[in-house]
Amino acid sequence: MEDEDSREQKKQLNFCKAEEILAAITSSPKMFKLLFHRKKSHKQNVAEKEIPSTSHQSIPDASVTENGQKKKRKWRHLCCSSQTDSDAEAESNTVKTQKKCRWFLFKFWKKLHKQNVAEKEIPSTSHQSVACGGKKIESQTGTIDCFGFPNIGNTCYMNSCLQSLLNIEEFIRDIRRQEVLWSTDPEAQLLRRLIDVRDCHESTDYGLKDHHLRAFKKAFSNQAPEYTGSAQKDAHEFLTLFLDEVKRLAPHLERNAALLGQSYACPVEDHHIFKMENMRTCKSCGHQSSQQEDFTSLSLDLVPERSIINMLETYLKEQEIEFRCDCGGTASELKSSFDTLPRVLILHLKRFGFTQTYKIQKVDDPVRLQRDLVVPSNQGGGCYSLVSVISHYGGTESGHYICSSVHPEESQHSTSDRWLTYNDAQVLHTSGSAVCEEQQHSAYMLFYKRNF
């Protein structure tokens, strides 16, 4: 009876000790790894200690019989004659005891772990989030299987720009309807690869998407060799180069169209290019001179806590500059204005700049994103609606781009406010109002589509 009580007390004491040990283990992953790590093999220990393995020592005829068959030998006793049988047995019992203790602790920890998991609430798919650069972007519903693009090597900048471009259906439609002019032209490979990417946009075959994205990047790199590798790049720079390259093809395709008795309309000129007029006025004599310049996007100085329209007004505001006029005056006023308006207005927020010591820095200050803009021009104003946002998370050394756009199935005049957030291959449902609220610190490029 006393033996049974003693055994029961020892068992209870061991159980309490196990609880104490497991409490320390669960609070320290390093301790858990140290206790339950897989034991190294004999070969690994031999290699690390740089000593000859006893399993490969030369013992002539020790393991081979006269007929060439191998004998089963206990190499421990042959090679380590100094160790007695009693020592070996004691060591074996110790190892077995340690294994049993570890197995008991592991089973006990696993049981506690299952209980903890069961007690925790399972997050609802209506509140999933995308982790980007240490931050989270909340979404309204779960992920969907299509529309995403795999990252083929630091290509989040390219994926985000492609998602924004594919969201502009009229731009893609104008490229496709002129397919007869570029489908067989060797110089128009970039347009063919873009349409290939568009054709697999709704597919769930990510192997196919991987193939077409690599082909697109290769075609683009042929014109911009700095994009050949897998280095991180700036999304605004990539988009500007891409649109410039499509524009560069226009004269060549116009000649091809003329030979066929047709005409070619450059989709970049029809949708993205606009003219800015810079008017300079001498403060001494009042002489004015103007200059026009083509743009595919407008870069705005970031003003913390201000709205997009405020930053646009600051850009268009008259400013004083130093300029030597023919009259001898050195001060002039410069005013910029839209001479023409595009169908798609791309605004780039200058989040990257230089410090006084010429070190590059990123500004994460919030700006108020607006769904609708009224933009003035010399030929009348235009009303625009936000259709896509490219955001940057991270710093100057490394970062990540995501894109949030109007749902592809959303009609122009719909009031449901369905949007999607594209984080490479992961696509989440969201809304335009949520995007404007959540991307204030990270919005980098804004795409506005003209209503009228």
Side-chain angles (χ1 to χ4, degrees), residues 157-309:
Y157 67 91
M158 182 181 76
N159 290 347
S160 297
C161 291
L162 286 174
Q163 295 287 9
S164 293
L165 288 175
L166 296 181
N167 183 259
I168 306 169
E169 296 179 359
E170 296 81 1
F171 174 73
I172 300 299
R173 185 178 63 239
D174 284 356
I175 295 176
R176 193 187 292 276
R177 69 181 178 82
Q178 302 179 98
E179 184 174 357
V180 66
L181 299 177
W182 50 259
S183 59
T184 58
D185 194 310
E187 293 191 24
Q189 186 181 22
L190 188 61
L191 292 178
R192 291 195 294 275
R193 298 297 170 252
L194 176 65
I195 296 303
D196 288 341
V197 172
R198 171 61 186 88
D199 289 341
C200 70
H201 190 215
E202 299 178 10
S203 172
T204 57
D205 186 349
Y206 280 83
L208 178 65
K209 291 184 175 182
D210 184 283
H211 170 74
H212 287 312
L213 286 170
R214 291 182 186 276
F216 173 85
K217 188 172 183 291
K218 183 178 179 181
F220 180 77
S221 301
N222 290 338
Q223 306 302 325
E226 63 270 25
Y227 285 80
T228 301
S230 59
Q232 298 185 32
K233 297 293 183 180
D234 181 76
H236 178 247
E237 178 185 289
F238 168 81
L239 182 63
T240 301
L241 289 175
F242 172 77
L243 295 177
D244 288 346
E245 180 58 25
V246 175
K247 181 185 174 185
R248 186 190 65 83
L249 290 171
H252 174 74
L253 295 177
E254 286 172 358
R255 289 192 294 270
N256 290 351
L259 293 176
L260 297 174
Q262 299 180 14
S263 61
Y264 174 77
C266 177
V268 173
E269 291 182 356
D270 287 350
H271 293 274
H272 295 93
I273 289 182
F274 56 95
K275 293 183 182 295
M276 295 296 296
E277 182 180 54
N278 296 319
M279 179 70 71
R280 183 187 59 81
T281 304
C282 178
K283 297 185 71 174
S284 298
C285 66
H287 175 72
Q288 292 185 329
S289 61
S290 65
Q291 183 181 7
Q292 289 188 346
E293 187 177 358
D294 288 347
F295 287 83
T296 54
S297 64
L298 199 63
S299 296
L300 304 178
D301 291 326
L302 192 144
V303 183
E305 305 291 347
R306 301 298 296 275
S307 67
I308 298 300
I309 191 63

Side-chain angles (χ1 to χ4, degrees), residues 321-336:
I321 62 171
E322 292 185 4
F323 184 84
R324 181 171 293 276
C325 182
D326 293 339
C327 70
T330 58
S332 296
E333 290 182 343
L334 181 68
K335 181 174 176 57
S336 299

Side-chain angles (χ1 to χ4, degrees), residues 28-78:
S28 175
K30 185 176 181 181
M31 194 172 187
F32 177 82
K33 183 178 180 182
L34 187 65
L35 183 62
F36 294 120
H37 74 281
R38 178 173 292 185
K39 197 172 183 180
K40 292 183 180 179
S41 67
H42 180 69
K43 290 183 179 179
Q44 288 175 314
N45 288 327
V46 168
E48 290 180 1
K49 294 181 180 179
E50 297 182 352
I51 59 175
S53 171
T54 56
S55 62
H56 291 85
Q57 290 184 6
S58 177
I59 304 178
D61 301 326
S63 60
V64 182
T65 60
E66 294 180 356
N67 58 6
Q69 294 180 351
K70 290 186 178 181
K71 293 181 179 180
K72 293 183 179 179
R73 296 279 186 149
K74 294 183 179 180
W75 292 105
R76 173 186 294 238
H77 300 295
L78 288 173

